[in-house]
Amino acid sequence: MKKQKILIMLFMAGIALPNLLFAVFKEHLDTANHENRALAEQPRLSVETLEEFPKQFENFYNDHLPFKNYLVRLNYQLDTKIFLTTRKGDVTIGKDNWLFYTPSRSGEDAMADYRKTNLYSEEESREIAGRYERAEGFLKEKGVENFYCYVAPSKETVYPQYMPYEPGEGQSRMECFADYMESHSDLNFHYVYPKLAEDSQEYQIYFKYDTHMNSLGAFLMSQIMADDLTGERVSLKDVKVKQGDVFVGDLARMVNQESSMTDDHDLAIKNYYPRIQCDIITNNEENGEEIFREYTSDSTNDRTLLVVGDSYRLKLEPYLSKLYSHSVFVRIDDFSQELLEKYDPQDVVMVMVERNQRYMENPDQYLGLP
């Protein structure tokens, strides 16, 4: 009987002690939200919420578990170092500590892209091409002179050697569609990976712990675009590439390892059109994410550029904004046709990453066409 009482007391202490310690030392502990979502809020108990309350409280407690961030980090180390786990949610854990964002869902199936199991039929390619032609026709009716679309490769496309498994054989969905567009359409549609491939093996152009290109990769992509937009480009040998600040990426935060994954740096680009002064005159953010930015510069190119895109547009802004006297960058989900009337752009560009299939397939929808 005495032994049972001791066990019960130890069990209760095991439940209560972490909560008490956490309450005392909470101000000195890491309690930040490192997940790419909003955490559950504490539910209110009432007659109306009685049925849902247990589940809601369970979700709240799981999200706000004492020492949660430390337990998640410990679990990550155990999974990757001992059990050799290669997947945590949407994050694939690669070789040499590289992380890749590989969701498998409708409209954004990066794993199907990598395994090359989601190729378009010729009919599907024709339908998508028709949507681009429709979008271009609409824009030209609004006074736009040139419409361009650029698709950046996903990180695992560029660096499959760091993935824990081999890619599929043959051409990918994006490569096949780009070939179709080149053969069957006069539209300015560009999949930029072929032009980045050589430089990507000589230089690191993506962050190890983030879904995006670093500044060097963005510079290289921007100059591919600049060649089309203005007929001129700046060579890598004409700028200076220097090691920048430590960059803790979104993927590191998604697996709660931002405190340990601090060995990656951005690569700063210096001496890029140093005589052109560029200023931000409008900057709108939502929950810390830039959704709209407007620039003016003293470039001699007095045309206006409108860039509509996913988050890959952000790293391109410092380079593209110097090519025009006036440029506007907007998150694709926030584009409205009023922007065409307000800014009267001569050139409109859509930018997206390979895995964002829903954007790539529906340019007319995201440009607000009925």
Side-chain angles (χ1 to χ4, degrees):
M1 192 67 173
K2 184 177 180 180
K3 183 178 179 180
Q4 289 180 336
K5 289 182 178 180
I6 293 174
L7 289 175
I8 292 172
M9 291 176 65
L10 289 174
F11 176 75
M12 293 179 66
I15 295 176
L17 190 59
N19 290 277
L20 292 173
L21 290 173
F22 185 74
V24 173
F25 296 105
K26 183 177 180 179
E27 298 300 322
H28 306 285
L29 300 173
D30 176 14
T31 58
N33 177 14
H34 301 293
E35 300 184 46
N36 200 24
R37 64 179 180 87
L39 300 182
E41 297 181 0
Q42 185 171 0
R44 292 184 178 182
L45 179 60
S46 66
V47 175
E48 291 78 13
T49 63
L50 190 60
E51 186 175 345
E52 298 85 11
F53 182 81
K55 183 61 178 177
Q56 291 175 348
F57 185 81
E58 180 183 359
N59 292 337
F60 166 75
Y61 187 78
N62 288 339
D63 277 355
H64 301 272
L65 185 72
F67 305 102
K68 175 189 172 183
N69 288 342
Y70 301 95
L71 293 172
V72 170
R73 288 168 193 159
L74 176 60
N75 181 63
Y76 177 88
Q77 295 299 325
L78 290 173
D79 279 350
T80 57
K81 305 302 182 184
I82 297 179
F83 300 107
L84 304 180
T85 300
T86 58
R87 194 78 183 265
K88 300 287 287 185
D90 288 335
V91 180
T92 292
I93 302 160
K95 302 171 185 176
D96 294 341
N97 230 19
W98 277 65
L99 300 180
F100 298 87
Y101 185 59
T102 51
S104 296
R105 60 176 70 99
S106 176
E108 191 179 15
D109 197 338
M111 287 306 299
D113 287 338
Y114 185 71
R115 291 170 175 148
K116 302 176 182 176
T117 59
N118 60 347
L119 305 187
Y120 295 133
S121 66
E122 184 167 351
E123 181 180 354
E124 288 172 324
S125 294
R126 183 167 55 251
E127 288 178 357
I128 298 169
R131 293 172 199 148
Y132 278 97
E133 291 170 359
R134 184 166 177 258
E136 182 182 52
F138 164 76
L139 290 171
K140 289 196 172 181
E141 287 178 1
K142 294 292 186 179
V144 174
E145 297 177 14
N146 300 295
F147 174 48
Y148 303 84
C149 182
Y150 294 91
V151 179
S154 298
K155 185 164 70 171
E156 58 273 14
T157 297
V158 181
Y159 295 112
Q161 65 268 34
Y162 295 113
M163 285 283 282
Y165 25 78
E166 295 296 318
E169 295 182 358
Q171 284 191 308
S172 68
R173 169 184 62 88
M174 197 64 254
E175 290 171 322
C176 290
F177 182 70
D179 286 350
Y180 179 90
M181 292 294 283
E182 185 174 0
S183 302
H184 295 83
S185 176
D186 294 329
L187 289 164
N188 291 304
F189 183 93
H190 306 277
Y191 178 47
V192 301
Y193 176 58
K195 294 183 178 181
L196 288 175
E198 184 176 349
D199 284 331
S200 70
Q201 300 311 308
E202 185 174 354
Y203 309 101
Q204 181 184 323
I205 67 170
Y206 278 73
F207 292 112
K208 288 179 64 175
Y209 311 127
D210 195 87
T211 56
H212 301 90
M213 291 177 173
N214 57 26
S215 292
L216 174 58
F219 167 77
L220 293 170
M221 180 171 171
S222 73
Q223 296 315 294
I224 294 170
M225 299 168 68
D227 202 14
D228 297 327
L229 295 169
T230 67
E232 299 179 0
R233 64 188 298 172
V234 175
S235 170
L236 193 56
K237 68 179 186 333
D238 295 325
V239 297
K240 295 180 180 179
V241 182
K242 294 187 176 182
Q243 186 179 80
D245 297 331
V246 170
F247 192 89
V248 179
D250 52 9
L251 297 176
R253 289 191 291 273
M254 288 173 69
V255 295
N256 216 290
Q257 294 298 306
E258 67 281 4
S259 63
S260 61
M261 294 180 170
T262 57
D263 60 328
D264 198 21
H265 293 256
D266 200 359
L267 296 172
I269 305 299
K270 305 292 185 181
N271 203 40
Y272 174 72
Y273 288 131
R275 289 180 294 278
I276 294 179
Q277 177 66 36
C278 190
D279 298 302
I280 298 173
I281 58 174
T282 309
N283 182 29
N284 295 335
E285 296 185 2
E286 182 180 272
N287 298 323
E289 181 182 353
E290 296 88 351
I291 62 173
F292 181 88
R293 200 172 273 165
E294 180 182 0
Y295 293 83
T296 59
S297 83
D298 53 8
S299 167
T300 57
N301 179 5
D302 61 0
R303 298 165 67 84
T304 296
L305 170 69
L306 172 62
V307 178
V308 183
D310 61 16
S311 58
Y312 268 62
R313 78 190 186 282
L314 297 173
K315 280 284 187 178
L316 298 170
E317 290 183 14
Y319 312 112
L320 297 182
S321 59
K322 285 194 171 187
L323 303 179
Y324 291 75
S325 61
H326 189 206
S327 54
V328 176
F329 298 80
V330 61
R331 187 170 64 180
I332 190 168
D333 293 295
D334 296 278
F335 173 83
S336 68
Q337 294 181 11
E338 287 76 13
L339 295 174
L340 299 174
E341 299 172 6
K342 181 176 181 179
Y343 295 106
D344 191 25
Q346 287 78 44
D347 296 331
V348 171
V349 172
M350 289 190 76
V351 175
M352 65 208 73
V353 66
E354 176 181 3
R355 68 172 180 274
N356 272 339
Q357 186 174 341
R358 63 189 181 278
Y359 296 147
M360 196 281 295
E361 291 178 350
N362 301 287
D364 52 348
Q365 174 185 328
Y366 285 98
L367 289 176
L369 275 70

